[in-house]
Amino acid sequence: MTDWLNSFGVYFKRPLIVVLILGFSSGLPLALTFSTLSVWMAEEGVDLTTIGIFVLVGTPYTLKFLWAPLIDRAALPPLTRWLGQRRGWMVATQLAMMAALLALGASDPVAAPYATALAAVVVSFLSATQDIVIDAYRIESVEEADQGAGAAMIVFGYRIGMLVSGAGALLLADQMSWMATYAIMAALMLVGMITILASPEPDRPPLEPLAGLSRVDQARRWVFDAVFRPFLEFMQRQGWIAILVFILLYKLGDAFAGAMANPFYVDLGFTKTEIASVTKAFGLASTLAGLFLGGLMVSRMPILWALVICGVLQAASNLMFAVQAAVGNDIAVLSVTVAVENVTGGMGTAAFVAYMSRLTNIAFTATQYALLSSFMAVGRTFLSSGSGFSADSLGWVGFFIASAFVAIPGLVMLFWMMRALPTHADRAVPSR
């Protein structure tokens, strides 16, 4: 127990504090392009069909792997020369984000909905781009032994950023105009910018020199190194298809149950205030506790075993929803259900993000992590889309029991990989 308590000190290392603050910058824009924006639009009388269409604004988050190679390789003179590849891209993205948030706040969703949509898409694109850079910076600047703690800190900061731009922005909008609210949110991007300017550029393998090649050959080599080599390097690894299948399946049971959580609460008769107080405030605290526990587990045991423990707990936590369904409208049981689900979900997230981070080759960090995280989103978004039909067919108790079984294929894949690919999650060495 003393060793575990001593391990808590990892969270106070300078690189981890930097990751925490950058996580805040990463999470800040998300609510501003949909949930907070949808409240603004509803308040202005925009019809529900139009508001619903705005969910497509988040598309860049699922496609970010397409331009991640540019983040890995393309220079931004003079910022790259002054600050380095990662810090240069981060500062450029954050400056552009501030301008885009100001433009979004100055738009009129009633008189000019297309202008509002365009500004929101630009913010979403820049936010996804910032995520690419921040994930690469985190993986390259945090020691391998601390990747679990780094995963916990990035998600911790992300959740705080979402809280500020969600509930915080709504509180501000009650006291001032939406334009002023978005201007304050834009100013908060300075927190991450100042942090990255005060932090060192992480070490990376030097790029292969292109001198002596013709312009055409230089262009071909650049495209090959930036676009194709990251994917080819990953596909040369033993069991790479199994790894991708596992990434697709590991959080599926969690996502399957989570997709129906709010309709479930409403169907049981909980009020919006009860749902908000228990699932948002209490749920956030439980998630943060789970993140820290998951980060400590990764630092104290082999990461594959951490994934096993967290995965089993995640699957078992879905059964608490079945208990809730059997009990009905009971706020005390709801508190326990939310606590169990969020603690185990946070643990699983910390271990899983650390696992995907270790899969990246440090020569192609941004591209490979963007690919893996986008692949994970496929499971969360598309494979869980049938959850509503399942709930209708099975009833709440049957649905949540079934959701626990949905997690089993991912665990089976994990046990197989532990036998067949026991060292596959070791840090990939740069290939040149």
Side-chain angles (χ1 to χ4, degrees):
M1 178 62 71
T2 302
D3 288 343
W4 280 75
L5 291 176
N6 290 337
S7 297
F8 191 78
V10 67
Y11 290 110
F12 296 95
K13 292 183 178 181
R14 178 188 171 95
L16 276 295
I17 300 298
V18 171
V19 165
L20 171 68
I21 299 172
L22 294 180
F24 172 83
S25 294
S26 180
L28 191 70
L30 184 62
L32 298 174
T33 57
F34 185 67
S35 60
T36 298
L37 180 60
S38 65
V39 173
W40 178 13
M41 296 172 72
E43 188 178 75
E44 296 293 328
V46 177
D47 64 273
L48 294 178
T49 300
T50 301
I51 294 175
I53 292 173
F54 264 69
V55 73
L56 297 175
V57 164
T59 301
Y61 290 101
T62 62
L63 299 177
K64 59 186 179 181
F65 66 92
L66 294 176
W67 62 93
L70 289 174
I71 308 300
D72 257 339
R73 294 287 177 145
L76 287 176
L79 287 177
T80 302
R81 185 172 66 253
W82 293 342
L83 301 174
Q85 185 75 6
R86 301 305 183 209
R87 296 197 306 153
W89 269 99
M90 209 174 304
V91 168
T93 304
Q94 289 167 341
L95 285 171
M97 181 97 67
M98 292 174 67
L101 286 172
L102 289 173
L104 180 57
S107 68
D108 187 332
V110 176
Y114 291 111
T116 301
L118 177 60
V121 168
V122 172
V123 171
S124 181
F125 172 79
L126 292 169
S127 177
T129 302
Q130 179 185 232
D131 288 353
I132 295 171
V133 190
I134 289 177
D135 282 327
Y137 185 91
R138 168 181 58 84
I139 294 168
E140 293 169 0
S141 63
V142 174
E143 296 178 7
E144 182 174 349
D146 297 339
Q147 285 294 335
M153 291 294 258
I154 195 77
V155 180
F156 183 7
Y158 193 89
R159 292 298 184 97
I160 298 300
M162 288 179 61
L163 184 64
V164 169
S165 61
L170 294 181
L171 290 173
L172 287 174
D174 260 346
Q175 308 298 322
M176 58 187 67
S177 69
W178 283 105
M179 182 175 181
T181 298
Y182 272 74
I184 291 173
M185 294 296 113
L188 287 175
M189 293 302 302
L190 289 171
V191 173
M193 190 180 304
I194 292 170
T195 299
I196 200 62
L197 288 173
S199 303
E201 175 77 1
D203 293 329
R204 300 183 66 220
L207 300 179
E208 287 186 7
L210 299 179
L213 299 177
S214 68
R215 289 187 178 272
V216 172
D217 286 340
Q218 286 183 6
R220 288 174 178 169
R221 174 68 65 81
W222 191 94
V223 170
F224 177 78
D225 285 347
V227 179
F228 295 104
R229 182 177 277 185
F231 301 103
L232 291 174
E233 190 277 337
F234 187 83
M235 292 168 64
Q236 289 170 358
R237 302 183 196 180
Q238 182 184 7
W240 67 272
I241 294 178
I243 294 169
L244 290 180
V245 172
F246 169 67
I247 289 173
L248 196 69
L249 297 176
Y250 182 70
K251 296 285 284 185
L252 183 57
D254 210 33
F256 202 75
M260 287 292 105
N262 283 336
F264 170 62
Y265 301 144
V266 172
D267 194 49
L268 289 186
F270 290 108
T271 66
K272 291 189 288 292
T273 299
E274 288 172 332
I275 294 171
S277 60
V278 175
T279 66
K280 302 303 180 186
F282 183 59
L284 175 63
S286 301
T287 298
L288 298 183
L291 289 168
F292 283 121
L293 286 173
L296 290 177
M297 287 180 66
V298 172
S299 70
R300 301 298 302 174
M301 64 178 64
I303 194 167
L304 297 183
W305 276 110
L307 285 169
V308 168
I309 294 171
C310 293
V312 170
L313 291 176
Q314 278 181 163
S317 72
N318 288 2
L319 299 178
M320 271 305 302
F321 284 100
V323 173
Q324 182 78 60
V327 171
N329 189 316
D330 187 314
I331 195 71
V333 177
L334 179 63
S335 299
V336 175
T337 299
V338 169
V340 170
E341 196 277 331
N342 282 273
V343 168
T344 57
M347 293 171 65
T349 296
F352 197 42
V353 171
Y355 167 77
M356 290 193 298
S357 300
R358 289 194 183 182
L359 290 177
T360 61
N361 184 316
I362 202 169
F364 321 110
T365 314
T367 303
Q368 289 186 344
Y369 191 84
L371 171 67
L372 296 174
S373 58
S374 295
F375 208 72
M376 175 187 67
V378 172
R380 184 180 66 240
T381 304
F382 296 105
L383 295 186
S384 61
S385 61
S387 56
F389 173 79
S390 299
D392 273 337
S393 303
L394 300 172
W396 288 122
V397 173
F399 168 73
F400 286 115
I401 291 174
S403 71
F405 283 93
V406 169
I408 291 178
L411 292 173
V412 171
M413 284 295 304
L414 177 57
F415 281 115
W416 179 83
M417 289 193 300
M418 291 175 73
R419 291 176 60 86
L421 309 168
T423 63
H424 80 277
D426 292 344
R427 164 65 68 194
V429 295
S431 60
R432 288 292 171 191

